[in-house]
Amino acid sequence: MGNRISGVPAMGDVARLARVSHQTVSRVLNGHPHVRQQTRLRVRAAIEELGYRPSEVARALVTGRSRFIGVVAHDSTLYGPASLLAAFEQAAAEAGFVVTALRADVRDRASVSRALEWHRGRQVAGIVVIAPTAPVHDAVDTVRSGTPLVMVDGDPGRSTPTVTVDQVAGAAAATRHLLDAGHRTVWHVSGPPDWFDSAGRVLGWRSALEGAGREVPPVVPAGWSAASGYRVGRELALMPDVTAVFAANDHLALGILRAMHERRRRVPRDVSVVGFDDVPEAAHFIPPLTTVRPDFDAVARDALALLLAQAGGGAAEDVPRSREPTLVPRDSVRPPAT
C-alpha cells in the first residue's frame, strides 16, 4: 500500500487507499456482514496504515439511527448554493453518511415544507437546509420536530442552528480594497433583496463606507445573473463619477465588465470592479476579476459537525457558526485615473 498521508486522515483517504467506496469503508467500520473478507482486510489495512480514527460522534449517530442525511437545496444552478451542496455531500461521505438532496423553490414556503416532510418521513439522521431566503426559515419553523436540523447560509439572527459565510465581512473587505486603491466611494450592484446573502453584502458595503466617512451611493438592485449585471452596468457606464463598483456576485461583475467595454469605459483604467464568490472562471475574465472567495468546504464541515452535536454526540458551542471569506486580488482594480 502507499505511504502515510500528511495531516489528519479522513474516511475518503481510507477509501482511496483501499480502492473502495466511502460506503464500503462505512460498512466495514460498522461491522456490516455483507462485505467480502478480502475487501474487509484491505480496508482494515488502509485504516491501520493511515492511522485513521473514525469520529465517535459520527459512528454513534450512524449506528443509532440512520446513515442518511436529508438536504433541502435551492432549485437552481447558482454557484454559491450549488457549491455548498457539493461541499456538504463530500463532507458527509467522508464521515460515512449518504446524502439525499431534494430541490425546492426557496421563495415558496410550501415547496420547502414538502421537502422537509419528505425527509422526516424517511427517518433520516438529520436534515440540512440551504436557506438563503426568509420563506425557508418560515417553513422550518412550522415543521421542526425531534429530527436534528441545521440551516446553512441562512439568517444568522434566527434561533435555528445556523452556519454561514460571513457575508458582511466579505463585502466590507471588498469595499475597503477599492477605497484603499484610492477611490472616493464605491457603488454596489446588489443581488435580490429577499436573499440573506444579498442583504449581508449590502450591510458590509455600507458599513465599510460609513466607517471610512465616505459618501454612500444608492444601492443598484439587480438579480444574480450576468444579464442583470449587464443591464445595470450599461447605466452605470454613463455616469462619469462611477469609478469603483462592488458587484454582489461574479456573474453580475461579468455583465458589468461587458457593459463597460461596450460603453468604452475601460476596466480597470476608468472603472475598478470587484465581485463575490470566486467562480472558477473569474481568473479568466478580461481583466481577471478581483473577488471574494468563501470557504464553502469549511462551512459544510461546520454544518455536519453541528448536526452531529445536535444528535447528542458532541459540543455544539465548539462549532464555528460563521466563516469569514478571503479577498482575492487580481487585475480588475487599480487607482482611479487623474
Side-chain angles (χ1 to χ4, degrees), residues 5-42:
I5 64 168
S6 60
V8 178
M11 184 178 289
D13 301 315
V14 175
R16 281 188 290 273
L17 187 57
R19 301 187 303 281
V20 298
S21 67
H22 292 90
Q23 289 77 9
T24 298
V25 176
S26 178
R27 291 189 186 103
V28 171
L29 289 171
N30 291 292
H32 196 286
H34 302 302
V35 179
R36 294 175 57 190
Q37 183 64 15
Q38 183 179 3
T39 302
R40 190 183 304 276
L41 292 173
R42 195 162 70 243

Side-chain angles (χ1 to χ4, degrees), residues 112-113 116-117 120 127 129 136-151 158-162 306-307 310:
V112 177
S113 295
L116 289 168
E117 291 291 1
R120 288 183 60 232
I127 301 174
V129 185
V136 178
H137 282 268
D138 295 339
V140 168
D141 289 342
T142 62
V143 302
R144 284 191 67 190
S145 64
T147 305
L149 186 145
V150 172
M151 312 289 268
R158 298 272 188 130
S159 60
T160 310
T162 302
L306 187 57
L307 195 70
Q310 279 190 59

Side-chain angles (χ1 to χ4, degrees), residues 83-84 86-88 90-91 294-302:
S83 297
L84 282 168
F88 183 80
Q90 178 64 27
D295 192 341
F296 294 122
D297 291 340
V299 171
R301 291 192 299 270
D302 294 341

Side-chain angles (χ1 to χ4, degrees), residues 178-179 183 185-188 241-246 270-273:
L178 288 161
L179 294 179
H183 294 276
T185 191
V186 178
W187 289 71
H188 180 48
D241 60 327
V242 175
T243 67
V245 179
F246 165 47
D270 302 320
V271 182
S272 291
V273 178

Side-chain angles (χ1 to χ4, degrees), residues 98-150:
V98 177
V99 170
T100 302
L102 293 183
R103 302 283 183 169
D105 181 351
V106 296
R107 296 184 177 183
D108 178 9
R109 190 171 81 174
S111 175
V112 177
S113 295
R114 286 192 296 270
L116 289 168
E117 291 291 1
W118 190 93
H119 284 311
R120 288 183 60 232
R122 279 144 187 83
Q123 297 296 303
V124 293
I127 301 174
V128 168
V129 185
I130 298 176
T133 64
V136 178
H137 282 268
D138 295 339
V140 168
D141 289 342
T142 62
V143 302
R144 284 191 67 190
S145 64
T147 305
L149 186 145
V150 172

Side-chain angles (χ1 to χ4, degrees), residues 6-315:
S6 60
V8 178
M11 184 178 289
D13 301 315
V14 175
R16 281 188 290 273
L17 187 57
R19 301 187 303 281
V20 298
S21 67
H22 292 90
Q23 289 77 9
T24 298
V25 176
S26 178
R27 291 189 186 103
V28 171
L29 289 171
N30 291 292
H32 196 286
H34 302 302
V35 179
R36 294 175 57 190
Q37 183 64 15
Q38 183 179 3
T39 302
R40 190 183 304 276
L41 292 173
R42 195 162 70 243
V43 170
R44 289 294 180 189
I47 290 171
E48 187 65 27
E49 179 174 349
L50 295 173
Y52 171 71
R53 294 295 178 265
S55 164
E56 293 304 319
V57 175
R59 290 191 63 179
L61 184 53
V62 172
T63 57
R65 187 168 188 181
S66 167
R67 288 193 302 270
F68 290 86
I69 294 176
V71 173
V72 179
H74 180 36
D75 187 16
S76 85
T77 57
L78 286 172
Y79 181 75
S83 297
L84 282 168
L85 174 58
F88 183 80
E89 288 175 329
Q90 178 64 27
E94 291 185 355
F97 294 95
V98 177
V99 170
T100 302
L102 293 183
R103 302 283 183 169
D105 181 351
V106 296
R107 296 184 177 183
D108 178 9
R109 190 171 81 174
S111 175
V112 177
S113 295
R114 286 192 296 270
L116 289 168
E117 291 291 1
W118 190 93
H119 284 311
R120 288 183 60 232
R122 279 144 187 83
Q123 297 296 303
V124 293
I127 301 174
V128 168
V129 185
I130 298 176
T133 64
V136 178
H137 282 268
D138 295 339
V140 168
D141 289 342
T142 62
V143 302
R144 284 191 67 190
S145 64
T147 305
L149 186 145
V150 172
M151 312 289 268
V152 178
D153 211 23
D155 181 1
R158 298 272 188 130
S159 60
T160 310
T162 302
V163 295
T164 186
V165 173
D166 191 335
Q167 312 291 348
V168 176
T175 306
R176 286 194 298 268
H177 183 68
L178 288 161
L179 294 179
D180 290 345
H183 294 276
R184 181 178 58 84
T185 191
V186 178
W187 289 71
H188 180 48
V189 178
S190 75
D194 56 341
W195 282 61
F196 298 126
D197 289 3
S198 181
R201 292 168 198 179
V202 169
L203 180 59
W205 160 78
R206 180 177 287 115
S207 65
L209 289 179
E210 291 175 346
R214 305 299 178 87
E215 175 190 355
V216 181
V219 173
V220 181
W224 289 124
S225 68
S228 61
Y230 173 72
R231 174 179 54 79
V232 300
R234 286 177 60 83
E235 299 300 319
L236 290 172
L238 297 175
M239 303 165 61
D241 60 327
V242 175
T243 67
V245 179
F246 165 47
N249 76 354
D250 291 348
H251 290 106
L252 284 170
L254 176 60
I256 292 167
L257 291 178
R258 180 186 170 189
M260 293 294 172
H261 173 75
E262 289 186 356
R263 298 288 196 190
R264 301 187 187 280
R265 297 289 302 279
R266 293 162 295 184
V267 178
R269 179 171 179 177
D270 302 320
V271 182
S272 291
V273 178
V274 176
F276 202 110
D277 279 342
D278 195 25
V279 300
E281 300 83 7
H284 305 287
F285 289 177
I286 301 177
L289 181 67
T290 296
T291 186
V292 177
R293 178 188 297 156
D295 192 341
F296 294 122
D297 291 340
V299 171
R301 291 192 299 270
D302 294 341
L304 180 61
L306 187 57
L307 195 70
L308 299 177
Q310 279 190 59

